Amino acid sequence: MANATTRGADKIAQAGTSALAQAGNIVQLFVDVARQTFVRPFQWREFIQQAWFIASVTILPTALIAIPFGAIVSLQTGSLIKQLGAESFTGAASVLVVIQQGSPLVTSLLVAGAAGSAVAADLGSRTIREEIDAMEVLGINPVQRLVVPRVLAMILIAVLLNGLVAVVGIGGGYFFNVIVQHGTPGAYLASFGALAQLPDLWISTIKAAIFGVLAGVIAAYKGLNPKGGPKGVGDAVNQSVVITFLLLFLANLIITAVYLQIVPPKGS
């Protein structure tokens, strides 16, 4: 019994040490990406190709998810606010939920799930084919050549998709509130300025950019460090998606808590 307990404790300690080491390596890669971003020449062609690819695999799913998301938010908030007798604030409540929380999270999950997995698979396949080692032998920095354009492309597309989700989500919420719940169009639109404010849009954009950085760096790290050949690449892709999702929700919690402390709600 004592030996089993000792082995269990050793495994937990090893897992904790491995997690800390991996976190340190991810931070180191983030620092390298930040430094190599300003190294010239910048890989414009790679950046444009990756941005186009990420946009092509995420635009349609993002729009299709934003419509039912806006509908759910509008129906739920509309029903609740109607019970409270404050129907005139339905539009403001829906806009706040979609802009502050919904659009950054929907964007980040799709960027991490679709684009992040593709980046991890691409870099992982290059690693097991020893292309990364060959680049280093030739004096080419793989971070500057491959990772930086992908991370910046994910940031750009995440910010743009965030705006798309916000517009589509608010439009879907308007449709379902006015058509399905028989709300007043004028009251829905007029209430936008009652609770919403410009910093809400800024924090939504900042969230999307931060989520894009997290998704890009983690996908690149997992892609550059696969273990076990082709099977390791598949494992790296799965791990990158899971880790990114966990970090995105944690980052969203921290950013939201800080924002609510710094920027007071409108009218308070």
mmCIF file of all heavy atoms in Angstrom, residues 169-219:
data_model
loop_
_atom_site.group_PDB
_atom_site.id
_atom_site.type_symbol
_atom_site.label_atom_id
_atom_site.label_comp_id
_atom_site.label_asym_id
_atom_site.label_seq_id
_atom_site.Cartn_x
_atom_site.Cartn_y
_atom_site.Cartn_z
ATOM 1 N N GLY A 169 -24.456 38.378 -34.871
ATOM 2 C CA GLY A 169 -25.160 38.044 -33.638
ATOM 3 C C GLY A 169 -26.204 39.076 -33.266
ATOM 4 O O GLY A 169 -27.335 38.733 -32.881
ATOM 5 N N ILE A 170 -25.842 40.350 -33.389
ATOM 6 C CA ILE A 170 -26.801 41.408 -33.069
ATOM 7 C C ILE A 170 -27.948 41.404 -34.082
ATOM 8 O O ILE A 170 -29.118 41.575 -33.722
ATOM 9 C CB ILE A 170 -26.091 42.773 -33.051
ATOM 10 C CG1 ILE A 170 -25.118 42.831 -31.877
ATOM 11 C CG2 ILE A 170 -27.108 43.905 -32.940
ATOM 12 C CD1 ILE A 170 -24.249 44.065 -31.865
ATOM 13 N N GLY A 171 -27.604 41.173 -35.374
ATOM 14 C CA GLY A 171 -28.657 41.094 -36.383
ATOM 15 C C GLY A 171 -29.606 39.931 -36.136
ATOM 16 O O GLY A 171 -30.826 40.070 -36.255
ATOM 17 N N GLY A 172 -29.039 38.768 -35.777
ATOM 18 C CA GLY A 172 -29.894 37.630 -35.459
ATOM 19 C C GLY A 172 -30.741 37.873 -34.228
ATOM 20 O O GLY A 172 -31.922 37.495 -34.181
ATOM 21 N N GLY A 173 -30.158 38.521 -33.220
ATOM 22 C CA GLY A 173 -30.929 38.849 -32.025
ATOM 23 C C GLY A 173 -32.061 39.807 -32.318
ATOM 24 O O GLY A 173 -33.173 39.655 -31.786
ATOM 25 N N TYR A 174 -31.790 40.785 -33.171
ATOM 26 C CA TYR A 174 -32.837 41.740 -33.556
ATOM 27 C C TYR A 174 -33.988 41.022 -34.260
ATOM 28 O O TYR A 174 -35.162 41.256 -33.968
ATOM 29 C CB TYR A 174 -32.237 42.816 -34.456
ATOM 30 C CG TYR A 174 -33.246 43.748 -35.068
ATOM 31 C CD1 TYR A 174 -33.714 44.853 -34.361
ATOM 32 C CD2 TYR A 174 -33.745 43.523 -36.345
ATOM 33 C CE1 TYR A 174 -34.642 45.717 -34.913
ATOM 34 C CE2 TYR A 174 -34.681 44.374 -36.906
ATOM 35 C CZ TYR A 174 -35.117 45.468 -36.189
ATOM 36 O OH TYR A 174 -36.053 46.317 -36.740
ATOM 37 N N PHE A 175 -33.630 40.138 -35.195
ATOM 38 C CA PHE A 175 -34.668 39.427 -35.952
ATOM 39 C C PHE A 175 -35.555 38.600 -35.026
ATOM 40 O O PHE A 175 -36.787 38.673 -35.098
ATOM 41 C CB PHE A 175 -34.010 38.534 -37.004
ATOM 42 C CG PHE A 175 -34.972 37.657 -37.741
ATOM 43 C CD1 PHE A 175 -35.713 38.152 -38.806
ATOM 44 C CD2 PHE A 175 -35.162 36.336 -37.359
ATOM 45 C CE1 PHE A 175 -36.617 37.347 -39.489
ATOM 46 C CE2 PHE A 175 -36.060 35.523 -38.042
ATOM 47 C CZ PHE A 175 -36.783 36.030 -39.103
ATOM 48 N N PHE A 176 -34.934 37.821 -34.153
ATOM 49 C CA PHE A 176 -35.724 36.930 -33.311
ATOM 50 C C PHE A 176 -36.499 37.698 -32.246
ATOM 51 O O PHE A 176 -37.601 37.301 -31.865
ATOM 52 C CB PHE A 176 -34.820 35.892 -32.654
ATOM 53 C CG PHE A 176 -34.479 34.745 -33.553
ATOM 54 C CD1 PHE A 176 -33.348 34.798 -34.362
ATOM 55 C CD2 PHE A 176 -35.293 33.639 -33.639
ATOM 56 C CE1 PHE A 176 -33.029 33.749 -35.209
ATOM 57 C CE2 PHE A 176 -34.987 32.579 -34.483
ATOM 58 C CZ PHE A 176 -33.856 32.640 -35.273
ATOM 59 N N ASN A 177 -35.932 38.800 -31.768
ATOM 60 C CA ASN A 177 -36.663 39.579 -30.767
ATOM 61 C C ASN A 177 -37.871 40.281 -31.382
ATOM 62 O O ASN A 177 -38.954 40.300 -30.786
ATOM 63 C CB ASN A 177 -35.732 40.608 -30.122
ATOM 64 C CG ASN A 177 -36.442 41.475 -29.100
ATOM 65 O OD1 ASN A 177 -36.829 42.599 -29.381
ATOM 66 N ND2 ASN A 177 -36.629 40.929 -27.901
ATOM 67 N N VAL A 178 -37.675 40.832 -32.558
ATOM 68 C CA VAL A 178 -38.758 41.597 -33.181
ATOM 69 C C VAL A 178 -39.780 40.674 -33.834
ATOM 70 O O VAL A 178 -40.995 40.876 -33.702
ATOM 71 C CB VAL A 178 -38.174 42.591 -34.215
ATOM 72 C CG1 VAL A 178 -39.291 43.278 -34.992
ATOM 73 C CG2 VAL A 178 -37.305 43.615 -33.518
ATOM 74 N N ILE A 179 -39.319 39.637 -34.547
ATOM 75 C CA ILE A 179 -40.229 38.784 -35.309
ATOM 76 C C ILE A 179 -40.851 37.704 -34.424
ATOM 77 O O ILE A 179 -42.068 37.495 -34.434
ATOM 78 C CB ILE A 179 -39.500 38.145 -36.501
ATOM 79 C CG1 ILE A 179 -38.896 39.220 -37.403
ATOM 80 C CG2 ILE A 179 -40.437 37.235 -37.276
ATOM 81 C CD1 ILE A 179 -39.910 40.184 -37.972
ATOM 82 N N VAL A 180 -40.007 37.001 -33.654
ATOM 83 C CA VAL A 180 -40.505 35.868 -32.883
ATOM 84 C C VAL A 180 -41.196 36.322 -31.604
ATOM 85 O O VAL A 180 -42.279 35.840 -31.260
ATOM 86 C CB VAL A 180 -39.338 34.904 -32.559
ATOM 87 C CG1 VAL A 180 -39.821 33.748 -31.683
ATOM 88 C CG2 VAL A 180 -38.719 34.378 -33.846
ATOM 89 N N GLN A 181 -40.548 37.254 -30.886
ATOM 90 C CA GLN A 181 -41.104 37.689 -29.599
ATOM 91 C C GLN A 181 -41.970 38.933 -29.720
ATOM 92 O O GLN A 181 -42.434 39.449 -28.702
ATOM 93 C CB GLN A 181 -39.965 37.943 -28.612
ATOM 94 C CG GLN A 181 -39.199 36.675 -28.241
ATOM 95 C CD GLN A 181 -38.104 36.943 -27.229
ATOM 96 O OE1 GLN A 181 -37.354 37.911 -27.340
ATOM 97 N NE2 GLN A 181 -38.009 36.080 -26.225
ATOM 98 N N HIS A 182 -42.145 39.425 -30.947
ATOM 99 C CA HIS A 182 -43.013 40.587 -31.213
ATOM 100 C C HIS A 182 -42.570 41.810 -30.423
ATOM 101 O O HIS A 182 -43.391 42.550 -29.857
ATOM 102 C CB HIS A 182 -44.472 40.250 -30.882
ATOM 103 C CG HIS A 182 -44.971 39.009 -31.551
ATOM 104 N ND1 HIS A 182 -45.166 38.911 -32.921
ATOM 105 C CD2 HIS A 182 -45.266 37.774 -31.044
ATOM 106 C CE1 HIS A 182 -45.584 37.688 -33.226
ATOM 107 N NE2 HIS A 182 -45.645 36.976 -32.116
ATOM 108 N N GLY A 183 -41.260 42.026 -30.404
ATOM 109 C CA GLY A 183 -40.746 43.216 -29.758
ATOM 110 C C GLY A 183 -40.886 44.437 -30.644
ATOM 111 O O GLY A 183 -41.257 44.355 -31.821
ATOM 112 N N THR A 184 -40.565 45.583 -30.068
ATOM 113 C CA THR A 184 -40.660 46.840 -30.813
ATOM 114 C C THR A 184 -39.315 47.169 -31.442
ATOM 115 O O THR A 184 -38.312 47.274 -30.716
ATOM 116 C CB THR A 184 -41.085 47.984 -29.877
ATOM 117 O OG1 THR A 184 -42.310 47.618 -29.229
ATOM 118 C CG2 THR A 184 -41.284 49.268 -30.664
ATOM 119 N N PRO A 185 -39.247 47.311 -32.759
ATOM 120 C CA PRO A 185 -37.959 47.592 -33.400
ATOM 121 C C PRO A 185 -37.305 48.868 -32.885
ATOM 122 O O PRO A 185 -36.093 48.909 -32.634
ATOM 123 C CB PRO A 185 -38.321 47.703 -34.883
ATOM 124 C CG PRO A 185 -39.599 46.967 -35.029
ATOM 125 C CD PRO A 185 -40.323 47.149 -33.737
ATOM 126 N N GLY A 186 -38.098 49.918 -32.728
ATOM 127 C CA GLY A 186 -37.536 51.182 -32.266
ATOM 128 C C GLY A 186 -36.958 51.081 -30.871
ATOM 129 O O GLY A 186 -35.877 51.607 -30.586
ATOM 130 N N ALA A 187 -37.669 50.391 -29.978
ATOM 131 C CA ALA A 187 -37.170 50.242 -28.607
ATOM 132 C C ALA A 187 -35.901 49.400 -28.572
ATOM 133 O O ALA A 187 -34.981 49.677 -27.794
ATOM 134 C CB ALA A 187 -38.250 49.605 -27.734
ATOM 135 N N TYR A 188 -35.842 48.373 -29.416
ATOM 136 C CA TYR A 188 -34.646 47.512 -29.457
ATOM 137 C C TYR A 188 -33.428 48.321 -29.882
ATOM 138 O O TYR A 188 -32.361 48.219 -29.273
ATOM 139 C CB TYR A 188 -34.891 46.360 -30.426
ATOM 140 C CG TYR A 188 -33.817 45.294 -30.406
ATOM 141 C CD1 TYR A 188 -33.941 44.172 -29.591
ATOM 142 C CD2 TYR A 188 -32.676 45.398 -31.203
ATOM 143 C CE1 TYR A 188 -32.959 43.192 -29.574
ATOM 144 C CE2 TYR A 188 -31.699 44.432 -31.192
ATOM 145 C CZ TYR A 188 -31.845 43.328 -30.368
ATOM 146 O OH TYR A 188 -30.861 42.364 -30.345
ATOM 147 N N LEU A 189 -33.579 49.115 -30.920
ATOM 148 C CA LEU A 189 -32.446 49.899 -31.423
ATOM 149 C C LEU A 189 -32.120 51.068 -30.505
ATOM 150 O O LEU A 189 -30.944 51.399 -30.305
ATOM 151 C CB LEU A 189 -32.764 50.421 -32.833
ATOM 152 C CG LEU A 189 -32.951 49.348 -33.909
ATOM 153 C CD1 LEU A 189 -33.375 49.981 -35.221
ATOM 154 C CD2 LEU A 189 -31.665 48.550 -34.093
ATOM 155 N N ALA A 190 -33.134 51.695 -29.926
ATOM 156 C CA ALA A 190 -32.892 52.860 -29.079
ATOM 157 C C ALA A 190 -32.192 52.507 -27.784
ATOM 158 O O ALA A 190 -31.498 53.336 -27.195
ATOM 159 C CB ALA A 190 -34.224 53.553 -28.774
ATOM 160 N N SER A 191 -32.355 51.245 -27.340
ATOM 161 C CA SER A 191 -31.764 50.860 -26.055
ATOM 162 C C SER A 191 -30.282 50.516 -26.170
ATOM 163 O O SER A 191 -29.643 50.238 -25.161
ATOM 164 C CB SER A 191 -32.515 49.658 -25.475
ATOM 165 O OG SER A 191 -32.353 48.519 -26.297
ATOM 166 N N PHE A 192 -29.730 50.522 -27.397
ATOM 167 C CA PHE A 192 -28.316 50.195 -27.561
ATOM 168 C C PHE A 192 -27.442 51.088 -26.692
ATOM 169 O O PHE A 192 -26.499 50.634 -26.043
ATOM 170 C CB PHE A 192 -27.903 50.360 -29.029
ATOM 171 C CG PHE A 192 -28.254 49.160 -29.870
ATOM 172 C CD1 PHE A 192 -29.153 48.205 -29.406
ATOM 173 C CD2 PHE A 192 -27.716 48.995 -31.129
ATOM 174 C CE1 PHE A 192 -29.488 47.111 -30.186
ATOM 175 C CE2 PHE A 192 -28.041 47.894 -31.916
ATOM 176 C CZ PHE A 192 -28.938 46.958 -31.443
ATOM 177 N N GLY A 193 -27.753 52.381 -26.707
ATOM 178 C CA GLY A 193 -26.910 53.323 -25.965
ATOM 179 C C GLY A 193 -27.228 53.418 -24.494
ATOM 180 O O GLY A 193 -26.560 54.170 -23.775
ATOM 181 N N ALA A 194 -28.248 52.679 -24.022
ATOM 182 C CA ALA A 194 -28.628 52.786 -22.618
ATOM 183 C C ALA A 194 -27.608 52.129 -21.703
ATOM 184 O O ALA A 194 -27.272 52.670 -20.645
ATOM 185 C CB ALA A 194 -30.016 52.166 -22.406
ATOM 186 N N LEU A 195 -27.123 50.959 -22.084
ATOM 187 C CA LEU A 195 -26.169 50.236 -21.252
ATOM 188 C C LEU A 195 -24.828 50.036 -21.941
ATOM 189 O O LEU A 195 -23.798 49.954 -21.282
ATOM 190 C CB LEU A 195 -26.754 48.861 -20.868
ATOM 191 C CG LEU A 195 -28.033 48.864 -20.048
ATOM 192 C CD1 LEU A 195 -28.509 47.437 -19.796
ATOM 193 C CD2 LEU A 195 -27.835 49.586 -18.723
ATOM 194 N N ALA A 196 -24.822 49.909 -23.264
ATOM 195 C CA ALA A 196 -23.578 49.670 -23.995
ATOM 196 C C ALA A 196 -22.779 50.961 -24.115
ATOM 197 O O ALA A 196 -23.333 52.063 -24.144
ATOM 198 C CB ALA A 196 -23.882 49.104 -25.381
ATOM 199 N N GLN A 197 -21.460 50.808 -24.182
ATOM 200 C CA GLN A 197 -20.572 51.951 -24.335
ATOM 201 C C GLN A 197 -19.380 51.534 -25.197
ATOM 202 O O GLN A 197 -19.138 50.345 -25.435
ATOM 203 C CB GLN A 197 -20.109 52.463 -22.971
ATOM 204 C CG GLN A 197 -19.545 51.390 -22.055
ATOM 205 C CD GLN A 197 -19.256 51.915 -20.667
ATOM 206 O OE1 GLN A 197 -19.043 53.098 -20.477
ATOM 207 N NE2 GLN A 197 -19.242 51.033 -19.681
ATOM 208 N N LEU A 198 -18.632 52.527 -25.665
ATOM 209 C CA LEU A 198 -17.537 52.259 -26.588
ATOM 210 C C LEU A 198 -16.467 51.336 -26.000
ATOM 211 O O LEU A 198 -15.940 50.477 -26.726
ATOM 212 C CB LEU A 198 -16.908 53.581 -27.042
ATOM 213 C CG LEU A 198 -15.859 53.466 -28.150
ATOM 214 C CD1 LEU A 198 -16.459 52.833 -29.389
ATOM 215 C CD2 LEU A 198 -15.287 54.841 -28.482
ATOM 216 N N PRO A 199 -16.098 51.464 -24.722
ATOM 217 C CA PRO A 199 -15.095 50.523 -24.170
ATOM 218 C C PRO A 199 -15.499 49.053 -24.277
ATOM 219 O O PRO A 199 -14.625 48.182 -24.309
ATOM 220 C CB PRO A 199 -14.975 50.955 -22.711
ATOM 221 C CG PRO A 199 -15.299 52.412 -22.723
ATOM 222 C CD PRO A 199 -16.373 52.554 -23.763
ATOM 223 N N ASP A 200 -16.800 48.755 -24.346
ATOM 224 C CA ASP A 200 -17.228 47.369 -24.523
ATOM 225 C C ASP A 200 -16.731 46.820 -25.856
ATOM 226 O O ASP A 200 -16.311 45.661 -25.943
ATOM 227 C CB ASP A 200 -18.757 47.273 -24.472
ATOM 228 C CG ASP A 200 -19.305 47.675 -23.115
ATOM 229 O OD1 ASP A 200 -18.589 47.479 -22.113
ATOM 230 O OD2 ASP A 200 -20.440 48.181 -23.061
ATOM 231 N N LEU A 201 -16.765 47.647 -26.888
ATOM 232 C CA LEU A 201 -16.261 47.222 -28.193
ATOM 233 C C LEU A 201 -14.746 47.064 -28.174
ATOM 234 O O LEU A 201 -14.198 46.125 -28.753
ATOM 235 C CB LEU A 201 -16.675 48.229 -29.265
ATOM 236 C CG LEU A 201 -16.238 47.920 -30.698
ATOM 237 C CD1 LEU A 201 -16.820 46.583 -31.151
ATOM 238 C CD2 LEU A 201 -16.656 49.043 -31.635
ATOM 239 N N TRP A 202 -14.072 47.970 -27.471
ATOM 240 C CA TRP A 202 -12.609 47.879 -27.390
ATOM 241 C C TRP A 202 -12.173 46.624 -26.655
ATOM 242 O O TRP A 202 -11.241 45.937 -27.084
ATOM 243 C CB TRP A 202 -12.039 49.125 -26.701
ATOM 244 C CG TRP A 202 -12.067 50.357 -27.528
ATOM 245 C CD1 TRP A 202 -12.781 51.506 -27.289
ATOM 246 C CD2 TRP A 202 -11.367 50.595 -28.751
ATOM 247 N NE1 TRP A 202 -12.583 52.434 -28.274
ATOM 248 C CE2 TRP A 202 -11.703 51.907 -29.182
ATOM 249 C CE3 TRP A 202 -10.498 49.835 -29.526
ATOM 250 C CZ2 TRP A 202 -11.194 52.453 -30.355
ATOM 251 C CZ3 TRP A 202 -9.993 50.392 -30.693
ATOM 252 C CH2 TRP A 202 -10.338 51.672 -31.101
ATOM 253 N N ILE A 203 -12.820 46.315 -25.545
ATOM 254 C CA ILE A 203 -12.409 45.125 -24.786
ATOM 255 C C ILE A 203 -12.724 43.866 -25.570
ATOM 256 O O ILE A 203 -11.993 42.863 -25.482
ATOM 257 C CB ILE A 203 -13.101 45.094 -23.397
ATOM 258 C CG1 ILE A 203 -12.419 44.079 -22.481
ATOM 259 C CG2 ILE A 203 -14.581 44.773 -23.516
ATOM 260 C CD1 ILE A 203 -10.985 44.363 -22.196
ATOM 261 N N SER A 204 -13.780 43.881 -26.365
ATOM 262 C CA SER A 204 -14.086 42.731 -27.206
ATOM 263 C C SER A 204 -12.982 42.520 -28.240
ATOM 264 O O SER A 204 -12.533 41.389 -28.466
ATOM 265 C CB SER A 204 -15.430 42.942 -27.914
ATOM 266 O OG SER A 204 -15.714 41.883 -28.788
ATOM 267 N N THR A 205 -12.509 43.605 -28.854
ATOM 268 C CA THR A 205 -11.431 43.503 -29.847
ATOM 269 C C THR A 205 -10.130 43.049 -29.196
ATOM 270 O O THR A 205 -9.391 42.225 -29.749
ATOM 271 C CB THR A 205 -11.232 44.855 -30.537
ATOM 272 O OG1 THR A 205 -12.476 45.289 -31.100
ATOM 273 C CG2 THR A 205 -10.187 44.756 -31.631
ATOM 274 N N ILE A 206 -9.840 43.588 -28.010
ATOM 275 C CA ILE A 206 -8.615 43.198 -27.297
ATOM 276 C C ILE A 206 -8.667 41.721 -26.920
ATOM 277 O O ILE A 206 -7.674 40.991 -27.040
ATOM 278 C CB ILE A 206 -8.435 44.079 -26.048
ATOM 279 C CG1 ILE A 206 -8.120 45.518 -26.466
ATOM 280 C CG2 ILE A 206 -7.314 43.542 -25.163
ATOM 281 C CD1 ILE A 206 -8.116 46.495 -25.308
ATOM 282 N N LYS A 207 -9.821 41.263 -26.467
ATOM 283 C CA LYS A 207 -9.977 39.842 -26.149
ATOM 284 C C LYS A 207 -9.700 38.978 -27.370
ATOM 285 O O LYS A 207 -8.982 37.968 -27.294
ATOM 286 C CB LYS A 207 -11.401 39.562 -25.642
ATOM 287 C CG LYS A 207 -11.657 39.908 -24.202
ATOM 288 C CD LYS A 207 -13.066 39.484 -23.849
ATOM 289 C CE LYS A 207 -13.389 39.785 -22.395
ATOM 290 N NZ LYS A 207 -14.745 39.336 -22.046
ATOM 291 N N ALA A 208 -10.270 39.352 -28.499
ATOM 292 C CA ALA A 208 -10.079 38.566 -29.718
ATOM 293 C C ALA A 208 -8.601 38.501 -30.092
ATOM 294 O O ALA A 208 -8.097 37.437 -30.483
ATOM 295 C CB ALA A 208 -10.898 39.163 -30.862
ATOM 296 N N ALA A 209 -7.887 39.630 -29.972
ATOM 297 C CA ALA A 209 -6.462 39.644 -30.309
ATOM 298 C C ALA A 209 -5.666 38.762 -29.353
ATOM 299 O O ALA A 209 -4.794 37.985 -29.775
ATOM 300 C CB ALA A 209 -5.935 41.077 -30.274
ATOM 301 N N ILE A 210 -5.969 38.847 -28.057
ATOM 302 C CA ILE A 210 -5.261 38.017 -27.074
ATOM 303 C C ILE A 210 -5.554 36.535 -27.308
ATOM 304 O O ILE A 210 -4.655 35.686 -27.242
ATOM 305 C CB ILE A 210 -5.658 38.440 -25.645
ATOM 306 C CG1 ILE A 210 -5.130 39.846 -25.354
ATOM 307 C CG2 ILE A 210 -5.109 37.451 -24.619
ATOM 308 C CD1 ILE A 210 -5.573 40.393 -24.010
ATOM 309 N N PHE A 211 -6.799 36.220 -27.592
ATOM 310 C CA PHE A 211 -7.152 34.827 -27.869
ATOM 311 C C PHE A 211 -6.444 34.322 -29.119
ATOM 312 O O PHE A 211 -6.047 33.154 -29.197
ATOM 313 C CB PHE A 211 -8.661 34.689 -28.028
ATOM 314 C CG PHE A 211 -9.440 34.992 -26.774
ATOM 315 C CD1 PHE A 211 -10.803 35.245 -26.827
ATOM 316 C CD2 PHE A 211 -8.800 35.040 -25.539
ATOM 317 C CE1 PHE A 211 -11.519 35.521 -25.674
ATOM 318 C CE2 PHE A 211 -9.506 35.324 -24.380
ATOM 319 C CZ PHE A 211 -10.863 35.563 -24.448
ATOM 320 N N GLY A 212 -6.298 35.193 -30.121
ATOM 321 C CA GLY A 212 -5.558 34.802 -31.314
ATOM 322 C C GLY A 212 -4.099 34.504 -31.016
ATOM 323 O O GLY A 212 -3.530 33.543 -31.552
ATOM 324 N N VAL A 213 -3.492 35.306 -30.144
ATOM 325 C CA VAL A 213 -2.100 35.054 -29.730
ATOM 326 C C VAL A 213 -1.988 33.710 -29.022
ATOM 327 O O VAL A 213 -1.104 32.896 -29.329
ATOM 328 C CB VAL A 213 -1.590 36.187 -28.819
ATOM 329 C CG1 VAL A 213 -0.221 35.834 -28.244
ATOM 330 C CG2 VAL A 213 -1.503 37.489 -29.582
ATOM 331 N N LEU A 214 -2.883 33.462 -28.072
ATOM 332 C CA LEU A 214 -2.838 32.196 -27.329
ATOM 333 C C LEU A 214 -3.004 31.001 -28.256
ATOM 334 O O LEU A 214 -2.241 30.031 -28.181
ATOM 335 C CB LEU A 214 -3.938 32.188 -26.256
ATOM 336 C CG LEU A 214 -3.757 33.116 -25.057
ATOM 337 C CD1 LEU A 214 -4.988 33.084 -24.171
ATOM 338 C CD2 LEU A 214 -2.529 32.725 -24.260
ATOM 339 N N ALA A 215 -3.982 31.072 -29.134
ATOM 340 C CA ALA A 215 -4.233 29.954 -30.048
ATOM 341 C C ALA A 215 -3.046 29.730 -30.970
ATOM 342 O O ALA A 215 -2.628 28.582 -31.203
ATOM 343 C CB ALA A 215 -5.497 30.219 -30.865
ATOM 344 N N GLY A 216 -2.465 30.805 -31.488
ATOM 345 C CA GLY A 216 -1.347 30.666 -32.411
ATOM 346 C C GLY A 216 -0.092 30.130 -31.751
ATOM 347 O O GLY A 216 0.563 29.222 -32.286
ATOM 348 N N VAL A 217 0.243 30.649 -30.584
ATOM 349 C CA VAL A 217 1.474 30.228 -29.912
ATOM 350 C C VAL A 217 1.377 28.777 -29.450
ATOM 351 O O VAL A 217 2.315 27.989 -29.621
ATOM 352 C CB VAL A 217 1.778 31.167 -28.720
ATOM 353 C CG1 VAL A 217 2.928 30.618 -27.877
ATOM 354 C CG2 VAL A 217 2.135 32.558 -29.228
ATOM 355 N N ILE A 218 0.245 28.403 -28.874
ATOM 356 C CA ILE A 218 0.101 27.027 -28.385
ATOM 357 C C ILE A 218 0.086 26.037 -29.552
ATOM 358 O O ILE A 218 0.714 24.968 -29.487
ATOM 359 C CB ILE A 218 -1.177 26.897 -27.533
ATOM 360 C CG1 ILE A 218 -1.035 27.721 -26.255
ATOM 361 C CG2 ILE A 218 -1.443 25.434 -27.181
ATOM 362 C CD1 ILE A 218 -2.284 27.818 -25.438
ATOM 363 N N ALA A 219 -0.620 26.384 -30.633
ATOM 364 C CA ALA A 219 -0.630 25.505 -31.803
ATOM 365 C C ALA A 219 0.773 25.359 -32.384
ATOM 366 O O ALA A 219 1.194 24.254 -32.757
ATOM 367 C CB ALA A 219 -1.594 26.054 -32.858
#
